[in-house]
Amino acid sequence: MSRKPLRSQAWFGGDSKDAIMHRSWMKNQGMTADAFDGRPVIGICNTWSELTPCNAHLRELADRVKRGVLEAGGFPVEFPVMSLGESNLRPTAMLYRNLASMDVEESIRGNPIDGVVLLVGCDKTTPSLVMGAASCDLPTIVLSGGPMLNGRVRGEVVGSGTAIWRFSDEVKAGRMTVAEFKGAEAGMARSAGSCMTMGTASTMASMVEALGIALPENAAIPAVDARRATLAQLTGRRIVGMVREDLRLSAILTPAAFRNAIRVNAAIGGSTNAVLHLIAIAGRIGVPLGLDDWDQSGRGIPTIVDLQPSGRFLMEEFYYAGGLPVVMKALAETARLDGDALTVTGQTLWENVQYAENFAPDVIRSFADALTQEGGIAVLRGNLAPDGAVLKPSAATPALMQHRGRAVVFDTIDDYKRRIFDPDLDVDPDSIMVLRNCGPRGYPGMAEVGNMGLPPKLLAKGVTDMVRISDARMSGTAYGTVVLHIAPEAAAGGPLALVKEGDMIELDVPGRRLVLGVSERELALRHAEWTPREAATSGYQSLYVKHVLQADRGADFDFLIGRRGAAVPANSH
Ligand code: FES
């Protein structure tokens, strides 16, 4: 156990003018003298915001965390950081993930904090806070806000995000009225919490549990279940112990932890967004992680969690079935997980999950009866994606996994929106829809538009899936045979920029290939004629496009990679 003085004592300890000043101002909140007597100061980093509906309940959870911190002899201090709400924030919350991570990193480093609780929920709030905290590397624990209760619409149980895509397609195909669609609004999101499908929020809540940086059961307890409040209190207690043990993120976020998380992502049918976020988190803590790690570690791991968008159920059923500990136990028992990985409990992953029980084998299935045998993220390469692209086999149509088709090219998302309703659009079910200029630099921010809706004229004929390829991302609640994250992106001069209407494209998921049927010579000619699009020259967007890395590097900023630690010089009042 570490006996070195706590970091916060550099602010609050002793009788110097500075120490008296630091304590004096804090006492304007009515704090007692013993708050500064050398007990661990725990920062509760809160993404509460009424503009981030999925995180709107986090102030109540913060109170529970504080209760736990106080019980364990710590001093809790709550502070706000930039909150990224997926549903409201434009042009895309991903544009601000790195910005929020800078807010988190500097807020932690610059303040008298010994340990941190990260309160997260909506998609980008989890990676942005973990990235910022990883750069500081203090004792840190994550608490997710938990998923919403199941959606209920017209007698049907529906998933918050997944249903939007389906209903929208139904309206386009004339099978649902706009009034019925509007009527679904309140029923799709009917309680506090984040999307209750295995979308990006639930995936990232699972990832932090799988990485070992959140307490067991963090991923699935519904936001409004009393056990979420209990977990918050236990999280508050535990972070005080972690400070006393000097148990830092870098001791937990090891290469083995990332491999475990990749395998868990395959088993739960998690979001493709996790690829970007885990690579970015690994970059901050100093663990080399790339696209090939995703393919190698996740390959051959079956998806056993039968949740939307890949399967049938929702997070509520997942929790009642036993949640993520059941999945991790099943993986560890079959040597698919490293059970020796250390976690925030101070115990190994195996010690955490060994007593887990599966109460619903139809929700968490066996490996023999898996939802799909190929659950990992497929990483594709070829002359169309020299630095890689990803596809989620569990959300794709098996018959389209090997497919050749004629390119129908949309230059931007606005071009797509303009032309997709055109009855004369030259497209058939075998065509491959290509969308570009939606990557990190091109959009900018890498929008979740890769699963572009099918042409209404084909939907009306009953077509339910087509191959779609882009440099964009896809919402974790979406589905389809969709190739995403093509790197380098079109705006960076990648070959995607050179595709012309009618070019043949070959997708071969088993062979991990994505090939444009155009000669190298012709591509060189096209490249010579290609001119980059204008990029923002002022404001945050200009900083973003100048420094954002490509998708295969996690779309982090080049200058943020790495662990900078928590050391900070004393100020000079
Ligand atoms: Fe926040 Fe889905 S919109 S989790």
Side-chain angles (χ1 to χ4, degrees):
M1 189 173 290
S2 170
R3 293 290 172 210
K4 66 182 180 187
L6 291 173
R7 182 174 181 272
S8 58
Q9 284 297 295
W11 280 260
F12 297 139
D15 293 324
S16 67
K17 175 207 53 149
D18 278 359
I20 289 169
M21 182 199 72
H22 294 313
R23 294 193 298 258
S24 170
W25 260 262
M26 287 297 278
K27 282 181 175 176
N28 83 342
Q29 299 173 79
M31 281 147 187
T32 54
D34 54 14
F36 309 100
D37 65 0
R39 64 190 63 202
V41 178
I42 304 300
I44 302 171
C45 183
N46 202 341
T47 49
W48 166 86
S49 166
E50 287 179 341
L51 288 168
T52 306
C54 310
N55 295 21
H57 62 301
L58 292 187
R59 296 224 61 202
E60 292 91 76
L61 271 191
D63 285 341
R64 294 303 186 129
V65 174
K66 284 180 192 170
R67 190 188 289 187
V69 170
L70 290 167
E71 283 171 345
F75 169 32
V77 281
E78 182 184 353
F79 63 98
V81 287
M82 187 178 188
S83 183
L84 309 177
E86 206 63 31
S87 56
N88 284 327
L89 204 52
R90 293 182 181 179
T92 168
M94 182 65 178
L95 177 63
Y96 307 107
R97 184 199 65 178
N98 301 344
L99 178 64
S101 80
M102 291 163 73
D103 176 0
V104 172
E105 176 181 346
E106 303 305 333
S107 295
I108 292 173
R109 184 180 297 113
N111 276 300
I113 290 169
D114 300 306
V116 195
V117 179
L118 306 178
L119 289 193
V120 299
C122 199
D123 299 13
K124 305 302 175 297
T125 55
T126 304
S128 59
L129 267 59
V130 177
M131 287 161 68
S135 289
C136 293
D137 195 26
L138 286 177
T140 302
I141 189 167
V142 184
L143 176 70
S144 302
M148 298 180 222
L149 296 176
N150 287 356
R152 290 203 173 254
V153 174
R154 298 168 67 89
E156 190 189 348
V157 174
V158 296
S160 46
T162 303
I164 282 269
W165 308 117
R166 181 161 57 87
F167 290 163
S168 165
D169 281 352
E170 297 279 296
V171 171
K172 278 192 220 155
R175 290 190 289 268
M176 187 180 201
T177 65
V178 173
E180 286 167 344
F181 194 10
K182 272 178 73 179
E185 277 173 12
M188 287 187 291
R190 67 186 179 95
S191 84
S194 47
C195 291
M196 83 303 268
T197 56
M198 188 51 80
T200 305
S202 299
T203 299
M204 291 310 296
S206 302
M207 290 297 90
V208 292
E209 187 174 336
L211 285 165
I213 56 174
L215 289 181
E217 302 202 334
N218 172 72
I221 303 173
V224 296
D225 192 306
R227 288 166 283 190
R228 178 64 58 183
T230 307
L231 189 77
Q233 195 165 334
L234 294 174
T235 298
R237 285 187 195 171
R238 181 59 199 141
I239 186 64
V240 176
M242 288 173 66
V243 170
R244 294 196 171 120
E245 295 157 24
D246 199 24
L247 178 52
R248 292 166 187 258
L249 275 179
S250 54
I252 300 172
L253 290 177
T254 61
F258 284 98
R259 283 194 296 273
N260 281 346
I262 290 169
R263 289 170 180 152
V264 168
N265 189 65
I268 62 177
S271 162
T272 46
N273 282 320
V275 178
L276 294 164
H277 300 325
L278 258 61
I279 289 175
I281 293 167
R284 295 295 185 96
I285 203 76
V287 169
L289 189 79
L291 284 181
D292 291 336
D293 296 297
W294 275 89
D295 204 312
Q296 283 156 19
S297 295
R299 203 166 191 166
I301 303 276
T303 298
I304 56 172
V305 177
D306 193 348
L307 252 59
Q308 296 180 30
S310 301
R312 296 173 292 167
F313 298 102
L314 294 166
M315 289 299 283
E316 231 188 297
E317 284 91 19
F318 185 40
Y319 178 55
Y320 304 147
L324 202 67
V326 174
V327 178
M328 294 205 284
K329 182 183 180 187
L331 288 166
E333 281 177 333
T334 51
R336 291 177 166 104
L337 215 60
D338 183 347
D340 293 334
L342 181 64
T343 75
V344 284
T345 62
Q347 298 194 302
T348 65
L349 191 146
W350 174 250
E351 286 169 323
N352 287 347
V353 304
Q354 60 186 319
Y355 301 114
E357 274 185 78
N358 187 351
F359 300 109
D362 54 337
V363 179
I364 305 174
R365 298 157 72 145
S366 66
F367 290 114
D369 182 34
L371 196 61
T372 161
Q373 287 300 327
E374 188 51 69
I377 300 287
V379 176
L380 311 164
R381 290 182 198 273
N383 66 348
L384 196 43
D387 293 335
V390 302
L391 176 139
K392 181 174 166 182
S394 64
T397 302
L400 290 173
M401 301 286 250
Q402 283 178 304
H403 183 81
R404 265 185 106 234
R406 194 169 55 90
V408 176
V409 182
F410 301 101
D411 214 29
T412 62
I413 189 64
D414 290 330
D415 181 32
Y416 162 82
K417 285 178 186 164
R418 253 193 320 271
R419 292 166 54 213
I420 195 66
F421 288 96
D422 183 351
D424 295 327
L425 183 69
D426 186 11
V427 64
D428 61 52
D430 288 333
S431 302
I432 294 187
M433 293 168 62
V434 176
L435 174 65
R436 63 190 172 204
N437 293 307
C438 293
R441 273 198 235 169
Y443 190 71
M446 209 176 172
E448 285 189 332
V449 292
N451 59 312
M452 59 198 126
L454 304 187
K457 69 176 186 179
L458 296 183
L459 284 170
K461 286 185 185 159
V463 176
T464 54
D465 195 9
M466 289 169 65
V467 174
R468 288 156 273 178
I469 72 171
S470 75
D471 45 15
R473 295 178 301 120
M474 167 171 95
S475 164
T477 57
Y479 50 87
T481 310
V482 188
V483 177
L484 303 155
H485 306 186
I486 288 183
E489 64 179 307
L496 189 65
L498 312 178
V499 182
K500 287 192 174 168
E501 198 85 2
D503 284 350
M504 289 306 288
I505 295 175
E506 185 186 351
L507 170 68
D508 175 9
V509 179
R512 298 299 195 254
R513 282 166 11 99
L514 183 65
V515 177
L516 178 64
V518 174
S519 70
E520 267 183 43
R521 196 179 124 74
E522 170 64 16
L523 283 178
L525 288 174
R526 290 185 191 179
H527 195 264
E529 284 170 14
W530 174 78
T531 45
R533 295 158 56 82
E534 266 179 35
T537 54
S538 68
Y540 169 68
Q541 289 202 10
S542 71
L543 174 93
Y544 185 91
V545 295
K546 210 176 291 170
H547 292 284
V548 72
L549 296 167
Q550 290 295 286
D552 61 308
R553 308 272 319 271
D556 200 0
F557 287 157
D558 50 9
F559 63 89
L560 292 177
I561 301 282
R563 195 190 326 157
R564 284 167 285 283
V568 61
N571 59 17
S572 50
H573 289 291

Coordinates of all heavy atoms in Angstrom, one line a residue, residues 276-341:
L276 N -12.9 2.5 -33.0 CA -12.2 3.8 -32.9 C -11.9 4.1 -31.5 O -10.8 4.6 -31.2 CB -13.2 4.9 -33.4 CG -13.6 4.8 -34.9 CD1 -14.8 5.7 -35.2 CD2 -12.4 5.3 -35.8
H277 N -12.9 3.9 -30.6 CA -12.7 4.4 -29.2 C -11.6 3.6 -28.5 O -10.8 4.2 -27.7 CB -14.0 4.3 -28.5 CG -15.1 5.2 -29.1 ND1 -14.8 6.4 -29.7 CD2 -16.4 5.0 -29.2 CE1 -16.0 6.9 -30.2 NE2 -16.9 6.1 -29.9
L278 N -11.6 2.3 -28.7 CA -10.6 1.5 -27.9 C -9.2 1.8 -28.5 O -8.2 1.9 -27.7 CB -10.9 0.0 -28.0 CG -11.5 -0.5 -26.7 CD1 -12.8 0.1 -26.4 CD2 -11.7 -2.0 -26.8
I279 N -9.0 2.0 -29.8 CA -7.7 2.4 -30.3 C -7.3 3.7 -29.8 O -6.1 3.9 -29.4 CB -7.8 2.4 -31.9 CG1 -7.9 1.0 -32.4 CG2 -6.5 3.1 -32.5 CD1 -8.1 0.9 -33.9
A280 N -8.2 4.7 -29.6 CA -7.9 6.0 -29.1 C -7.5 5.9 -27.6 O -6.5 6.5 -27.2 CB -9.1 6.9 -29.3
I281 N -8.3 5.1 -26.9 CA -7.9 5.0 -25.4 C -6.6 4.3 -25.2 O -5.7 4.7 -24.4 CB -9.0 4.1 -24.7 CG1 -10.4 4.9 -24.7 CG2 -8.6 3.8 -23.3 CD1 -11.6 4.1 -24.3
A282 N -6.3 3.3 -26.0 CA -5.0 2.6 -26.0 C -3.9 3.5 -26.3 O -2.9 3.5 -25.6 CB -5.0 1.4 -26.9
G283 N -4.1 4.4 -27.3 CA -3.1 5.4 -27.7 C -2.8 6.3 -26.5 O -1.6 6.7 -26.3
R284 N -3.8 6.7 -25.7 CA -3.6 7.6 -24.6 C -2.8 6.9 -23.5 O -1.9 7.6 -22.9 CB -4.9 8.1 -24.1 CG -5.7 8.9 -25.0 CD -5.0 10.2 -25.3 NE -5.9 11.1 -26.2 CZ -6.7 12.0 -25.7 NH1 -6.7 12.3 -24.4 NH2 -7.4 12.7 -26.5
I285 N -3.0 5.7 -23.2 CA -2.4 5.0 -22.1 C -1.0 4.5 -22.5 O -0.2 4.1 -21.6 CB -3.3 3.9 -21.5 CG1 -3.0 3.7 -20.0 CG2 -3.3 2.7 -22.3 CD1 -3.4 4.7 -19.0
G286 N -0.8 4.4 -23.8 CA 0.5 3.9 -24.3 C 0.6 2.4 -24.6 O 1.6 1.8 -24.6
V287 N -0.6 1.9 -25.0 CA -0.7 0.5 -25.4 C -0.8 0.5 -26.9 O -1.8 1.1 -27.5 CB -1.8 -0.3 -24.8 CG1 -2.1 -1.6 -25.4 CG2 -1.6 -0.4 -23.3
P288 N 0.1 -0.2 -27.7 CA -0.1 -0.2 -29.1 C -1.3 -1.1 -29.5 O -1.3 -2.2 -29.1 CB 1.2 -0.8 -29.7 CG 2.1 -1.2 -28.5 CD 1.3 -0.9 -27.2
L289 N -2.2 -0.5 -30.2 CA -3.4 -1.3 -30.6 C -3.8 -0.8 -32.0 O -3.9 0.4 -32.2 CB -4.5 -1.0 -29.6 CG -5.8 -1.9 -29.8 CD1 -5.5 -3.3 -29.2 CD2 -7.0 -1.3 -29.1
G290 N -4.0 -1.7 -32.9 CA -4.4 -1.3 -34.3 C -5.5 -2.2 -34.8 O -6.1 -3.1 -34.1
L291 N -5.9 -1.9 -36.0 CA -7.0 -2.7 -36.6 C -6.8 -4.2 -36.7 O -7.7 -5.0 -36.5 CB -7.3 -2.2 -38.1 CG -8.0 -0.8 -38.2 CD1 -8.2 -0.5 -39.7 CD2 -9.3 -0.9 -37.5
D292 N -5.5 -4.6 -36.9 CA -5.2 -6.0 -37.0 C -5.5 -6.7 -35.7 O -5.8 -7.9 -35.7 CB -3.8 -6.2 -37.5 CG -3.7 -5.8 -39.0 OD1 -4.7 -5.8 -39.7 OD2 -2.5 -5.5 -39.4
D293 N -5.2 -6.0 -34.6 CA -5.6 -6.6 -33.3 C -7.0 -6.9 -33.2 O -7.4 -7.9 -32.6 CB -5.2 -5.6 -32.1 CG -3.7 -5.4 -32.1 OD1 -2.9 -6.4 -31.9 OD2 -3.2 -4.3 -32.4
W294 N -7.8 -6.0 -33.8 CA -9.3 -6.3 -33.7 C -9.6 -7.5 -34.5 O -10.4 -8.4 -34.0 CB -10.0 -5.1 -34.3 CG -10.3 -4.0 -33.3 CD1 -9.4 -3.0 -33.0 CD2 -11.4 -3.9 -32.4 NE1 -10.0 -2.3 -31.9 CE2 -11.2 -2.8 -31.6 CE3 -12.6 -4.7 -32.2 CZ2 -12.1 -2.5 -30.6 CZ3 -13.5 -4.3 -31.3 CH2 -13.2 -3.2 -30.4
D295 N -9.1 -7.7 -35.7 CA -9.4 -8.8 -36.5 C -8.9 -10.1 -35.8 O -9.6 -11.1 -35.7 CB -8.9 -8.7 -37.9 CG -9.6 -9.5 -38.9 OD1 -9.8 -10.7 -38.6 OD2 -10.0 -9.0 -40.0
Q296 N -7.6 -10.1 -35.4 CA -7.0 -11.3 -34.9 C -7.6 -11.7 -33.5 O -7.9 -12.9 -33.3 CB -5.5 -11.1 -34.7 CG -4.7 -11.1 -36.0 CD -3.4 -10.4 -35.9 OE1 -2.9 -10.1 -34.8 NE2 -2.8 -10.0 -37.0
S297 N -7.8 -10.8 -32.6 CA -8.3 -11.1 -31.3 C -9.8 -11.5 -31.4 O -10.2 -12.3 -30.6 CB -8.1 -10.0 -30.3 OG -6.8 -9.8 -30.1
G298 N -10.5 -10.8 -32.2 CA -12.0 -11.1 -32.2 C -12.4 -12.2 -33.2 O -13.5 -12.7 -33.1
R299 N -11.5 -12.6 -34.1 CA -11.9 -13.5 -35.1 C -12.2 -14.9 -34.5 O -11.5 -15.4 -33.7 CB -10.8 -13.7 -36.1 CG -11.2 -14.2 -37.5 CD -10.1 -14.1 -38.5 NE -10.6 -14.3 -39.8 CZ -10.0 -14.0 -40.9 NH1 -8.8 -13.4 -40.9 NH2 -10.5 -14.2 -42.1
G300 N -13.4 -15.4 -34.9 CA -13.8 -16.8 -34.5 C -14.5 -16.7 -33.1 O -14.9 -17.8 -32.6
I301 N -14.7 -15.5 -32.6 CA -15.5 -15.4 -31.3 C -17.0 -15.3 -31.7 O -17.3 -14.3 -32.4 CB -15.1 -14.2 -30.5 CG1 -13.6 -14.2 -30.2 CG2 -16.0 -14.1 -29.2 CD1 -13.2 -15.0 -29.0
P302 N -17.8 -16.3 -31.3 CA -19.2 -16.2 -31.7 C -19.9 -15.1 -30.9 O -19.5 -14.8 -29.8 CB -19.7 -17.6 -31.3 CG -18.5 -18.4 -31.1 CD -17.5 -17.5 -30.7
T303 N -20.9 -14.5 -31.5 CA -21.8 -13.6 -30.8 C -22.8 -14.4 -30.1 O -23.6 -15.1 -30.7 CB -22.5 -12.6 -31.8 OG1 -21.5 -11.8 -32.4 CG2 -23.4 -11.7 -31.0
I304 N -22.8 -14.3 -28.7 CA -23.8 -15.2 -28.0 C -24.8 -14.3 -27.3 O -25.8 -14.9 -26.7 CB -23.0 -16.0 -26.9 CG1 -22.1 -15.2 -26.0 CG2 -22.2 -17.1 -27.6 CD1 -21.5 -15.9 -24.8
V305 N -24.7 -13.0 -27.3 CA -25.7 -12.2 -26.7 C -26.8 -11.8 -27.8 O -26.4 -11.2 -28.8 CB -25.1 -10.9 -26.1 CG1 -26.2 -10.0 -25.5 CG2 -24.1 -11.3 -25.0
D306 N -28.0 -12.2 -27.6 CA -29.0 -12.1 -28.6 C -29.8 -10.7 -28.4 O -30.9 -10.7 -28.0 CB -30.0 -13.3 -28.5 CG -30.9 -13.4 -29.7 OD1 -30.9 -12.4 -30.5 OD2 -31.6 -14.4 -29.8
L307 N -29.0 -9.7 -28.7 CA -29.6 -8.3 -28.5 C -29.7 -7.6 -29.8 O -28.9 -7.7 -30.7 CB -28.7 -7.5 -27.5 CG -29.3 -7.3 -26.1 CD1 -29.5 -8.6 -25.4 CD2 -28.4 -6.4 -25.3
Q308 N -30.7 -6.7 -29.9 CA -30.8 -5.8 -31.0 C -29.5 -4.9 -31.1 O -29.0 -4.5 -30.0 CB -32.0 -4.9 -30.9 CG -33.3 -5.7 -31.0 CD -34.5 -4.8 -30.9 OE1 -34.5 -3.6 -31.3 NE2 -35.6 -5.3 -30.3
P309 N -29.0 -4.5 -32.2 CA -29.5 -4.6 -33.5 C -29.2 -6.0 -34.2 O -29.8 -6.3 -35.2 CB -28.8 -3.5 -34.3 CG -27.5 -3.3 -33.6 CD -27.8 -3.6 -32.2
S310 N -28.3 -6.8 -33.6 CA -28.0 -8.0 -34.3 C -29.0 -9.1 -34.0 O -29.3 -9.9 -34.8 CB -26.6 -8.6 -33.8 OG -25.6 -7.7 -34.0
G311 N -29.6 -9.0 -32.8 CA -30.6 -10.1 -32.4 C -31.9 -9.6 -32.0 O -32.4 -8.6 -32.5
R312 N -32.5 -10.2 -30.9 CA -33.9 -9.9 -30.6 C -34.1 -9.1 -29.3 O -35.0 -8.3 -29.3 CB -34.6 -11.2 -30.4 CG -34.7 -12.1 -31.6 CD -35.2 -13.5 -31.2 NE -34.3 -14.3 -30.4 CZ -34.7 -15.4 -29.7 NH1 -35.9 -15.8 -29.8 NH2 -33.8 -16.0 -29.0
F313 N -33.3 -9.3 -28.3 CA -33.7 -8.7 -27.0 C -33.0 -7.3 -26.7 O -32.3 -6.8 -27.6 CB -33.3 -9.7 -25.9 CG -34.0 -11.0 -26.0 CD1 -33.4 -12.1 -26.5 CD2 -35.3 -11.1 -25.6 CE1 -34.0 -13.3 -26.6 CE2 -36.0 -12.3 -25.7 CZ -35.4 -13.4 -26.2
L314 N -33.2 -6.8 -25.5 CA -32.7 -5.5 -25.2 C -32.0 -5.6 -23.8 O -31.9 -6.6 -23.2 CB -33.9 -4.5 -25.1 CG -34.6 -4.2 -26.5 CD1 -35.9 -3.5 -26.3 CD2 -33.6 -3.4 -27.4
M315 N -31.4 -4.5 -23.5 CA -30.5 -4.5 -22.3 C -31.2 -4.9 -21.0 O -30.6 -5.5 -20.1 CB -29.8 -3.1 -22.1 CG -28.8 -2.7 -23.1 SD -27.4 -3.8 -23.2 CE -26.4 -3.3 -21.8
E316 N -32.5 -4.6 -20.9 CA -33.2 -5.0 -19.7 C -33.1 -6.6 -19.6 O -32.8 -7.1 -18.5 CB -34.7 -4.6 -19.8 CG -35.2 -3.8 -18.6 CD -36.7 -3.6 -18.7 OE1 -37.1 -2.9 -19.6 OE2 -37.4 -4.1 -17.8
E317 N -33.4 -7.3 -20.6 CA -33.4 -8.7 -20.6 C -31.9 -9.2 -20.4 O -31.7 -10.2 -19.7 CB -33.9 -9.3 -21.9 CG -35.4 -9.3 -22.1 CD -35.9 -8.1 -22.8 OE1 -35.1 -7.4 -23.5 OE2 -37.1 -7.8 -22.7
F318 N -31.0 -8.5 -20.9 CA -29.6 -8.8 -20.7 C -29.2 -8.8 -19.2 O -28.6 -9.7 -18.7 CB -28.7 -7.9 -21.6 CG -27.2 -8.2 -21.6 CD1 -26.8 -9.6 -21.6 CD2 -26.3 -7.2 -21.5 CE1 -25.4 -9.9 -21.6 CE2 -24.9 -7.5 -21.5 CZ -24.5 -8.9 -21.6
Y319 N -29.7 -7.8 -18.6 CA -29.4 -7.7 -17.1 C -30.0 -8.8 -16.3 O -29.4 -9.4 -15.5 CB -29.8 -6.3 -16.6 CG -29.5 -6.2 -15.1 CD1 -28.2 -6.4 -14.6 CD2 -30.5 -5.9 -14.2 CE1 -28.0 -6.4 -13.3 CE2 -30.3 -5.8 -12.8 CZ -29.0 -6.1 -12.4 OH -28.7 -6.0 -11.0
Y320 N -31.3 -9.0 -16.7 CA -32.0 -10.0 -15.9 C -31.4 -11.4 -16.2 O -31.6 -12.3 -15.4 CB -33.5 -10.0 -16.3 CG -34.2 -8.7 -16.0 CD1 -35.2 -8.2 -16.8 CD2 -33.8 -7.8 -15.0 CE1 -35.8 -7.0 -16.6 CE2 -34.3 -6.6 -14.8 CZ -35.4 -6.2 -15.6 OH -35.9 -4.9 -15.4
A321 N -30.8 -11.6 -17.3 CA -30.2 -12.9 -17.7 C -28.9 -13.1 -16.9 O -28.3 -14.2 -16.9 CB -29.9 -12.9 -19.2
G322 N -28.3 -12.0 -16.3 CA -27.1 -12.1 -15.6 C -26.0 -11.1 -16.1 O -25.0 -10.9 -15.4
G323 N -26.3 -10.5 -17.2 CA -25.4 -9.4 -17.7 C -24.0 -9.9 -18.2 O -23.8 -11.0 -18.4
L324 N -23.2 -8.9 -18.2 CA -21.8 -9.1 -18.8 C -21.0 -10.1 -18.1 O -20.2 -10.9 -18.7 CB -21.1 -7.8 -19.0 CG -20.0 -7.8 -20.0 CD1 -20.5 -8.0 -21.4 CD2 -19.1 -6.6 -20.0
P325 N -21.1 -10.2 -16.7 CA -20.3 -11.3 -16.0 C -20.5 -12.7 -16.6 O -19.6 -13.5 -16.6 CB -20.7 -11.1 -14.6 CG -21.1 -9.7 -14.4 CD -21.8 -9.3 -15.7
V326 N -21.8 -13.0 -17.0 CA -22.1 -14.3 -17.5 C -21.3 -14.5 -18.8 O -20.7 -15.6 -19.1 CB -23.6 -14.5 -17.8 CG1 -23.9 -15.8 -18.5 CG2 -24.3 -14.3 -16.5
V327 N -21.3 -13.5 -19.7 CA -20.6 -13.5 -21.0 C -19.1 -13.7 -20.7 O -18.4 -14.6 -21.3 CB -20.8 -12.3 -21.8 CG1 -20.1 -12.3 -23.1 CG2 -22.3 -12.1 -22.0
M328 N -18.5 -12.9 -19.8 CA -17.1 -13.0 -19.6 C -16.7 -14.3 -18.9 O -15.6 -14.9 -19.2 CB -16.6 -11.8 -18.7 CG -16.8 -10.5 -19.4 SD -15.7 -9.2 -18.9 CE -16.5 -8.7 -17.3
K329 N -17.6 -14.9 -18.1 CA -17.3 -16.2 -17.5 C -17.3 -17.2 -18.6 O -16.3 -18.1 -18.6 CB -18.4 -16.5 -16.5 CG -18.1 -17.9 -15.8 CD -19.2 -18.2 -14.8 CE -18.9 -19.5 -14.1 NZ -20.1 -20.0 -13.3
A330 N -18.2 -17.2 -19.5 CA -18.3 -18.2 -20.6 C -17.0 -18.1 -21.5 O -16.5 -19.1 -21.9 CB -19.5 -18.0 -21.4
L331 N -16.6 -16.8 -21.7 CA -15.4 -16.7 -22.6 C -14.1 -17.2 -21.8 O -13.3 -17.8 -22.4 CB -15.2 -15.2 -22.9 CG -16.2 -14.6 -23.9 CD1 -16.1 -13.1 -23.9 CD2 -15.9 -15.1 -25.3
A332 N -14.1 -16.9 -20.5 CA -12.9 -17.3 -19.8 C -12.8 -18.8 -19.6 O -11.7 -19.4 -19.7 CB -12.9 -16.6 -18.4
E333 N -14.0 -19.4 -19.4 CA -14.0 -20.9 -19.2 C -13.6 -21.6 -20.5 O -13.2 -22.8 -20.4 CB -15.4 -21.3 -18.9 CG -15.7 -21.1 -17.4 CD -17.2 -21.4 -17.1 OE1 -18.1 -21.4 -18.0 OE2 -17.4 -21.8 -15.9
T334 N -13.7 -20.9 -21.6 CA -13.3 -21.6 -22.9 C -12.0 -21.0 -23.4 O -11.7 -21.1 -24.7 CB -14.4 -21.4 -23.9 OG1 -14.8 -20.0 -24.0 CG2 -15.6 -22.2 -23.6
A335 N -11.2 -20.4 -22.5 CA -9.9 -19.9 -22.9 C -9.9 -18.8 -23.9 O -9.0 -18.6 -24.7 CB -8.9 -21.0 -23.3
R336 N -11.1 -18.1 -24.0 CA -11.2 -17.0 -25.0 C -10.9 -15.7 -24.3 O -11.1 -14.6 -24.9 CB -12.6 -17.0 -25.6 CG -12.9 -18.2 -26.5 CD -14.3 -18.1 -27.0 NE -14.6 -19.0 -28.1 CZ -15.2 -20.2 -28.0 NH1 -15.7 -20.6 -26.8 NH2 -15.5 -20.9 -29.1
L337 N -10.7 -15.7 -23.0 CA -10.4 -14.5 -22.3 C -9.3 -14.7 -21.3 O -9.1 -15.8 -20.8 CB -11.7 -14.1 -21.5 CG -12.1 -12.7 -21.3 CD1 -12.3 -12.0 -22.7 CD2 -13.4 -12.5 -20.5
D338 N -8.5 -13.6 -21.0 CA -7.5 -13.7 -20.0 C -8.0 -13.4 -18.6 O -8.2 -12.2 -18.3 CB -6.3 -12.7 -20.4 CG -5.1 -12.8 -19.5 OD1 -5.3 -13.5 -18.4 OD2 -4.1 -12.3 -19.8
G339 N -8.3 -14.4 -17.9 CA -8.9 -14.2 -16.6 C -8.0 -13.6 -15.5 O -8.5 -13.2 -14.5
D340 N -6.7 -13.6 -15.8 CA -5.8 -13.0 -14.9 C -5.7 -11.5 -14.9 O -5.0 -10.9 -14.1 CB -4.4 -13.6 -15.1 CG -4.3 -15.1 -14.8 OD1 -5.1 -15.5 -14.0 OD2 -3.4 -15.8 -15.4
A341 N -6.4 -10.9 -15.9 CA -6.3 -9.4 -16.0 C -6.8 -8.8 -14.7 O -7.8 -9.2 -14.2 CB -7.1 -9.0 -17.2

